[in-house]
Amino acid sequence: MKIAVAGTGYVGLSVALLLAQHNEVHALDIVPEKVSMLGKAISPIVDKEISDFLQANVSGDRPLNFQPTLDPAQAYTGAEYAIIATPTNYDPKKNYFDTSSVEAAIEAVRRYAPEAWIVIKSTIPVGYTQQLQERLRDSRILFSPEFLREGHALFDNLHPSRIVVGAPQDDEQAVAAAHTFAELLVQGADPQEMRRVNPDGTTGIPELVVGLTEAEAIKLFANTYLALRVAYFNELDTYAESRCLDTQSIINGVCLDPRIRSDYNNPSFGYGGYCLPKDTKQLLANYDKVPQNLIGAIVEANRTRKDFIADEIIDRVADIKNPVIGIYRLTMKSGSDNFRQSAIQGVMKRIKAKGLTVIVYEPTLNTPDFFGSKVIRDLTQFKRESDIVVANRWNDDLGDISGKVFTRDLFRCD
């Protein structure tokens, strides 16, 4: 089967490689450099499994029918399924995701493949796909949320917790196409997953074909719950720090409860990254005229946490004349190349607003400064020039200066 994928970010590239094990997959992007790298079997994003897949394809150990391209005609002509995985950033002025890239991709698909089933995998507002179907008078549009971690996108596709596809439940053709797409994803997953036992006693990968809007809601509510977990344990840490208590002891005791467990319990400077900040805000916007307290509190709690962390850092350098505060890495978490909405940037902005000098250690940046703060790529120089080093996530490279490192990474994990 020929399948086209629009977008080669974490979502698009990982699903393209997954499906290319058993199908002819054309991965379309508008950035020539990314397509060129993929053509040379080099991953444009940090993800070990993706890199391994590309190299295994070259060596012949895992043959893939995978063709990166800049040409929409090549990608879409003859495709039975076209997957849209283009970026949808949250627009705070409109309280809405910017879905222009999704609609541009759909227009291009229809130019070359008027009968293809389109599957949106970009994150979108609740109710968007149904509205789009009605506005475009196009009933062959489905929605399938992704549940991927940065740096482990392909691994999570190979070992999915569940597969969800949204289709109008009164449209037999659409429901059948949704089931077919779900089976394509199952076919590409690790065969071991078919033998796993789920908490409800079933075996294999759970497949849910639900309504379009329900599928969209599953995505936003799942990510907002994860944000809630992060915010909850961050507020626990804020309380313990303010009362001079041992945060780690409290978290360990709380998480021994089997109903709570130890997922997403490691304190940080706040939740960040591609998904959680924008998804929580979009879900809150979707609550217009619907009673709520909790969703808004999650968004506000993340701001409060950054305020607290910034104040803690400022307090620790209060006795130093003209202190230099070093920011160790701008990435959202270890093993990621993503700066977007990283919590440490929010902390950095609050510190700079107080007139303090901030320098940044970020070896992946090739610019001399980052929003006016000097960028240093030599770690030894960075350590020497910093009076305090602020690290959202610990790294053993900081072991020799542990006495001047500020972090809340108690469990040394993401």
Side-chain angles (χ1 to χ4, degrees), residues 356-386:
L356 299 178
T357 300
V358 172
I359 61 175
V360 176
Y361 171 71
E362 183 47 69
T364 66
L365 275 180
N366 294 318
T367 56
D369 69 273
F370 182 78
F371 289 102
S373 293
K374 182 171 73 171
V375 173
I376 297 174
R377 283 175 289 278
D378 181 88
L379 184 56
T380 301
Q381 178 190 351
F382 170 77
K383 292 176 182 177
R384 184 174 62 249
E385 293 189 19
S386 302

Side-chain angles (χ1 to χ4, degrees), residues 13 17 80 85 102 110 113 135 142 153 158 164 184 187 245 287 295 302 313 337 349 354 368 373 381 384:
L13 183 54
L17 293 177
E80 294 183 51
V102 172
R110 285 295 176 248
R135 177 157 52 86
L142 311 174
L158 290 167
V164 178
L184 289 172
Q187 182 186 39
L245 303 175
Y287 261 88
I295 308 302
N302 208 42
I313 295 164
D337 60 350
K349 290 174 184 176
K354 299 294 185 180
S373 293
Q381 178 190 351
R384 184 174 62 249

Side-chain angles (χ1 to χ4, degrees), residues 160-219:
S161 58
R162 72 282 203 198
I163 291 171
V164 178
V165 187
Q169 296 299 285
D170 59 354
D171 184 332
E172 291 184 6
Q173 272 195 317
V175 169
H179 279 289
T180 298
F181 183 72
E183 287 303 314
L184 289 172
L185 297 178
V186 169
Q187 182 186 39
D190 188 327
Q192 297 287 341
E193 292 300 319
M194 299 313 298
R195 293 193 287 273
R196 81 179 186 207
V197 179
N198 299 307
D200 63 357
T202 61
T203 58
I205 302 169
E207 299 175 44
L208 299 176
V209 173
V210 299
L212 288 170
T213 305
E214 285 79 4
E216 294 162 348
I218 287 170
K219 167 66 174 178

Side-chain angles (χ1 to χ4, degrees), residues 14 18 46 101 129 161 197 243 263 280 285 327 381 388:
S14 61
L18 180 91
V46 176
S101 67
T129 309
S161 58
V197 179
R243 296 290 187 266
D263 305 305
T280 51
I327 302 295
Q381 178 190 351
I388 184 173

Side-chain angles (χ1 to χ4, degrees), residues 328 361 379 383 394-401:
Y328 177 80
Y361 171 71
L379 184 56
K383 292 176 182 177
W394 173 263
N395 189 288
D396 288 341
D397 288 344
L398 302 174
D400 60 325
I401 58 161

